Amino acid sequence: MDLVRHLRYFTVVAEELHFGNAAIRLGMAQPPLSQRIKRLEEELGVRLFDRSARQVRLTEAGRLLLGEAREIVARVDRLHDLVRHGEAALKIGVPPGLAAGVIAALVAAFRESNPGIRLAPAEMWTSDQVSALAEGVIDVGLVRHPVTAPGLHFGQVLVQQQGVLLAESDPLAGAGELHLADLAGRELLMPPREGEPGGYAEVLAECRRHGYVPAQVHHGTGLGMVLAGAAVAFGVREEVPGLAWRPLLGSPITCRVSTAWRTATDVVSDFAAVAVRTLKESAGMADEGGTPVRRVSRRPGVLA
């Protein structure tokens, strides 16, 4: 019996607690999956799941095995990376627009504490990261809240205050701090709804609550429409010719970010700790309830 493969099947079933859903994630039919779990139970001499017509639950033995199984599977994956690439790789998801300087700082800080492991970042929205984590495409992600997903674990949540980005020709560019209601009549540029569904809904709800209903919502990350005076956007301060940034009174719009993972390993935990330090130092983020440090960025995006 291929023990590692069977443990991989077990971890997916344990996360889904549904053989049909687990089979879909694994790209196989349900009967063979059930047979493999039964074979693993026979090999270990214990029952791992309580099955009924209505639900699947982990037994005590199954709960004890789950943490060890995840660690074994993750270690084998890292060994495969080591053999293929000469060093182990930690595959991470990062939000589009994350400043190059922040990514460089993440890589350098993680390399310092884990010299034998390279970071392999992939740019993807939060919804794509959730899918990639479920499918094992990435090991850990940097996701924007609110986000919920079965079996997903989150690190410390950090907050970054957002101001308003607008064209220098906009009459509001000469003002100091702005109320959201001051943006009345203006169109709004936001990340795509399907990429950041939780954040998208939260931002629009906060706008409505403070008296700003965008005349139209556009989707994208480039600031061309803002520079042309056709829309405004929320974000951190940018040093871009023709672009103005103004803070919002009461800081009603925030970006909340944390690491996310399905399988907890020492390497994932190390990355989560490094990410918190780096986002605080390089992206001007703060603990929830703390006072964020505003920094200047040269690249538009979700984070500075």
Side-chain angles (χ1 to χ4, degrees), residues 18-41:
H18 189 287
F19 277 81
N21 293 344
I24 291 172
R25 269 183 60 185
L26 291 164
M28 62 190 299
Q30 183 174 333
L33 176 59
S34 297
Q35 293 168 10
R36 284 165 172 77
I37 295 300
K38 184 178 179 181
R39 176 74 187 280
L40 179 62
E41 290 176 323

Side-chain angles (χ1 to χ4, degrees), residues 78-303:
R78 290 198 296 273
L79 284 174
H80 288 165
D81 282 332
L82 183 63
V83 171
R84 286 195 298 266
H85 304 294
E87 61 179 348
L90 184 71
K91 295 165 286 188
I92 65 171
V94 297
L98 184 63
V102 177
I103 295 177
L106 269 174
V107 171
F110 182 77
R111 183 66 117 175
E112 185 176 341
S113 59
N114 295 270
I117 302 174
R118 65 182 177 87
L119 283 186
E123 192 174 82
M124 56 182 73
W125 297 110
T126 293
S127 60
D128 297 323
Q129 289 193 46
V130 170
S131 298
L133 286 165
E135 296 163 6
V137 175
I138 60 175
D139 302 305
V140 61
L142 283 174
V143 299
R144 180 173 181 176
H145 290 259
V147 55
T148 56
L152 209 59
H153 306 280
F154 301 102
Q156 181 181 351
V157 178
L158 298 178
V159 178
Q160 185 182 57
Q161 293 178 353
Q162 306 281 284
V164 182
L165 296 163
L166 48 128
E168 284 185 342
S169 59
D170 192 301
L172 292 178
E177 290 186 313
L178 298 173
H179 290 279
L180 274 174
D182 295 332
L183 304 177
R186 288 167 174 78
E187 299 181 6
L188 178 64
L189 178 67
M190 292 184 64
R193 184 202 303 262
E194 63 273 14
E196 301 289 343
Y200 187 96
E202 189 175 73
V203 167
L204 289 183
E206 200 67 16
C207 287
R208 288 192 296 269
R209 194 166 73 86
H210 287 81
Y212 171 44
V213 179
Q216 185 173 345
V217 178
H218 303 277
H219 303 142
T221 56
L223 292 177
M225 292 190 67
V226 177
L227 287 166
V232 299
F234 299 123
V236 295
R237 190 168 187 168
E238 305 288 347
E239 286 187 346
V240 178
L243 188 70
W245 179 88
R246 293 294 177 266
L248 285 167
L249 283 164
S251 303
I253 306 296
T254 60
C255 177
R256 293 181 289 126
V257 173
S258 80
T259 48
W261 64 88
R262 277 189 174 269
T263 303
T265 65
D266 290 342
V267 175
V268 166
S269 297
D270 285 348
F271 174 79
V274 167
V276 168
R277 293 197 304 271
T278 303
L279 291 175
K280 286 182 176 181
E281 295 168 2
S282 301
M285 303 197 79
D287 301 338
E288 280 195 294
T291 303
V293 178
R294 286 176 182 151
R295 297 208 178 232
V296 175
S297 167
R298 297 182 180 275
R299 182 185 173 189
V302 177
L303 300 172

